[in-house]
Amino acid sequence: MEEDFYTIAQVSEVIGAPKHMIRRIIKSGLVRNVQRRTNKYRVLNSEQVELVRTLYYLHRGGATMRDLRKYASLEYAGDVTIAERKAILETKKRQLWENLKDLQAAIDHIERKIEVMETTSKS
């Protein structure tokens, strides 16, 4: 059975990441064995797309390039690193939930200030 391949534009559409970010992830060597078609377009298989998706969201969540390199190398090391990869993802998830709580508190405060200002300006 023939494997499906996806261009950077298709990957961008599927995962909602900008094309320049996908190119950056690929060019930095985080995704191995990316093929090029005769038209010079890079194409990724399904596993590579999933790795790009994970790296993109880790990056969006504040992971550094060093963190991304570590995660990608663990991914390529195979199933023996599942526990370590899961720990990285769990830690990042906890950090994101904390950030979300902080952001919600800031939004709540700003909404209260706006309400006070609207009430004051109507007087």
Side-chain angles (χ1 to χ4, degrees):
M1 189 162 115
E2 190 174 314
E3 187 172 17
D4 289 331
F5 286 93
Y6 305 88
T7 65
I8 289 175
Q10 290 169 323
V11 174
S12 173
E13 189 172 316
V14 167
I15 68 175
K19 289 184 267 189
H20 75 273
M21 189 63 204
I22 296 167
R23 285 188 194 97
R24 182 176 173 200
I25 289 169
I26 292 168
K27 285 181 181 180
S28 65
L30 297 172
V31 181
R32 298 178 186 167
N33 303 319
V34 175
Q35 296 181 22
R36 284 192 185 257
R37 293 283 161 96
T38 55
N39 60 7
K40 305 292 184 199
Y41 283 19
R42 291 181 188 93
V43 291
L44 291 83
N45 64 31
S46 298
E47 288 180 7
Q48 291 168 321
V49 171
E50 189 56 32
L51 177 58
V52 168
R53 182 191 320 263
T54 302
L55 295 173
Y56 172 67
Y57 282 109
L58 284 170
H59 172 73
R60 291 275 317 259
T64 64
M65 190 56 77
R66 182 178 182 180
D67 298 333
L68 299 181
R69 278 192 198 94
K70 180 177 181 177
Y71 186 88
S73 69
L74 290 169
E75 182 82 27
Y76 285 110
D79 288 350
V80 297
T81 66
I82 287 175
E84 194 170 355
R85 285 182 279 150
K86 183 180 177 203
I88 289 169
L89 295 174
E90 290 285 350
T91 299
K92 182 50 69 184
K93 182 175 82 170
R94 278 191 302 279
Q95 291 169 347
L96 289 170
W97 276 113
E98 286 302 315
N99 292 347
L100 189 58
K101 289 176 189 175
D102 291 344
L103 289 171
Q104 188 61 58
I107 290 168
D108 293 345
H109 174 76
I110 289 169
E111 285 179 341
R112 284 190 300 276
K113 290 296 283 185
I114 290 169
E115 287 173 9
V116 167
M117 289 175 180
E118 287 174 345
T119 303
T120 304
S121 68
K122 289 179 183 177
S123 302

